[in-house]
Amino acid sequence: MNFPGQVKIVEVGPRDGLQNEAVTVPAEIKVQLVEKLADAGLPVIEVGAFVSPKWVPQMATSGEVFRQITRRDGIGYPMLVPNLKGLELAHAAGVREIALFAATTETFSQKNTNCSIAESIDRFNAVIDAALRLDIRVRGYISCVLGCPYEGEVSMDTVLMLAEKMFDRGCYEVSLGDTIGVGTAGQAQALVEKLARHVPVPQLAAHFHDTYGQALANIHAVMQCGIAVIDSSVAGLGGCPYAKGATGNVATEDVVYMLQGMGIDTGVDMDKLLEAGRFISDFLGREPVSRAATALLRKQAG
Ligand code: HMG
Ligand code: MG
């Protein structure tokens, strides 16, 4: 079996993780979380989102958080942006990288961004063009690549169409979102194999939520197809406000544990990662949603 020697982990906990929390997390806690994740050696940390605060109130402090963190050399700090207004706010805050998003079904697109798929393409094209003119790097997300909470099965052709459009317009990476964590390993592999005939696999990322407990298996499967970028969320935080019942992303601790065991380099320090997960879980008043973190913390406690 062919696995990458090295994997880049994109930590999405401060954005994808926290966006769904009902309790307002103060900006200073978010800042401390980002700093702890940076201490742990994560190479990319998605800090927040410039989306409508009416739609996702938890992200309303994202600009404040971004301005307060100490940006370190060698770490990417993307911010999620849905439209030109978000780009404007990101640019004003000094953001050097954004992530935009589109979905594979009309219903999810409407629920998440109040527009059709076609309108979302026009929107992201405009954002990509404007961002690149400002020398801001752009990452793309495609939501519901293995299933939609409203429409069920999705078409791989739509995933391919969106991925091609994002790459053609200038995204440097496209992340495949199993937003509701319904996919299984064979499906995930079939999707990547299909995409591989048209888009560069090293520039694809796996963004798997763990609702059905399939995320690690799916990551293991798609790494065999050449995927070497994995999105994950410390302590398994998260969910999408427009995908009811969807749980968090795969936990970063679980991914790092698996990759370390396979001899795959991530550059992440597990002890410091555990500290970051403990910190935010303590604030939220619950245990980390990570089997590896729970086991390792119990072992540490003796
Ligand atoms: P809309 O209501 O159609 O937008 O929402 P609008 O242009 O009519 O504006 C409405 C109000 O929002 C106006 O304010 C705008 O100024 C303001 P008002 O005049 O009423 O006071 N507004 C903004 N404010 C701040 N930042 C902005 C912005 N844009 C407009 N960027 C919109 C359209 C796209 C804005 C809205 O639907 C939205 O914000 N959606 C984001 C939803 C979201 O964040 N979802 C979760 C993230 S995606 C996800 O989790 C999936 C992912 O993880 C991958 C996966 O797992 O699949 C990425
Ligand atoms: Mg997500």
Side-chain angles (χ1 to χ4, degrees):
M1 276 187 274
N2 255 349
F3 288 101
Q6 214 175 13
V7 157
K8 178 174 80 171
I9 296 187
V10 176
E11 171 59 50
V12 296
R15 194 279 305 171
D16 207 353
L18 295 183
Q19 73 183 8
N20 207 35
E21 288 297 331
V23 173
T24 304
V25 181
E28 66 264 25
I29 297 289
K30 294 178 182 168
V31 171
Q32 282 186 60
L33 174 62
V34 171
E35 297 300 357
K36 285 179 189 293
L37 292 166
D39 290 344
L42 284 150
V44 183
I45 304 169
E46 199 170 76
V47 173
F50 289 107
V51 295
S52 165
K54 285 182 194 142
W55 284 61
V56 188
Q58 185 67 260
M59 290 292 107
T61 53
S62 291
E64 204 183 313
V65 174
F66 187 84
R67 285 183 171 90
Q68 284 178 32
I69 56 173
T70 306
R71 277 169 274 152
R72 308 181 198 186
D73 288 346
I75 300 185
Y77 297 97
M79 298 290 278
L80 195 76
V81 156
N83 54 14
L84 284 169
K85 163 125 193 181
L87 176 65
E88 228 174 79
L89 294 169
H91 181 53
V95 169
R96 304 302 316 138
E97 177 174 341
I98 59 162
L100 44 79
F101 50 108
T104 56
T105 68
E106 292 295 346
T107 316
F108 195 86
S109 185
Q110 289 291 350
K111 299 261 185 199
N112 199 33
T113 47
N114 202 23
C115 69
S116 67
I117 296 175
E119 285 163 336
S120 78
I121 294 168
D122 289 343
R123 262 190 211 172
F124 75 61
N125 279 340
V127 174
I128 296 171
D129 291 352
L132 295 180
R133 277 197 300 272
L134 295 166
D135 214 18
I136 292 175
R137 275 161 47 98
V138 187
R139 186 174 204 248
Y141 280 110
I142 306 173
S143 286
C144 302
V145 300
L146 297 175
C148 168
Y150 308 103
E151 297 190 22
E153 263 182 50
V154 304
S155 149
M156 286 205 274
D157 289 330
T158 311
V159 182
L160 174 60
M161 179 274 289
L162 289 169
E164 280 186 314
K165 287 197 184 303
M166 286 177 175
F167 278 123
D168 287 351
R169 205 70 178 207
C171 287
Y172 79 90
E173 196 167 277
V174 171
S175 181
L176 303 172
D178 184 8
T179 317
I180 52 168
V182 284
T184 49
Q187 269 178 298
Q189 242 174 4
L191 175 64
V192 177
E193 276 163 11
K194 180 179 173 95
L195 295 177
R197 293 196 281 276
H198 308 274
V199 301
V201 178
Q203 285 160 259
L204 288 174
H207 178 105
F208 296 158
H209 288 252
D210 202 26
T211 319
Y212 287 78
Q214 302 301 302
L216 275 188
N218 293 348
I219 289 168
H220 192 270
V222 298
M223 283 196 306
Q224 291 170 63
C225 307
I227 287 206
V229 184
I230 296 168
D231 299 358
S232 62
S233 182
V234 69
L237 296 172
C240 174
Y242 300 100
K244 205 162 183 272
T247 62
N249 299 82
V250 65
T252 309
E253 295 91 323
D254 291 348
V255 173
V256 169
Y257 184 82
M258 178 176 80
L259 296 179
Q260 278 181 351
M262 294 174 72
I264 297 173
D265 180 29
T266 62
V268 176
D269 178 320
M270 179 62 100
D271 287 338
K272 292 194 171 144
L273 179 61
L274 287 172
E275 221 174 283
R278 174 93 272 175
F279 167 77
I280 192 64
S281 301
D282 282 350
F283 175 81
L284 296 169
R286 59 171 185 251
E287 291 299 309
V289 185
S290 158
R291 300 289 277 268
T294 304
L296 291 167
L297 288 166
R298 215 171 271 159
K299 201 164 155 193
Q300 275 181 2

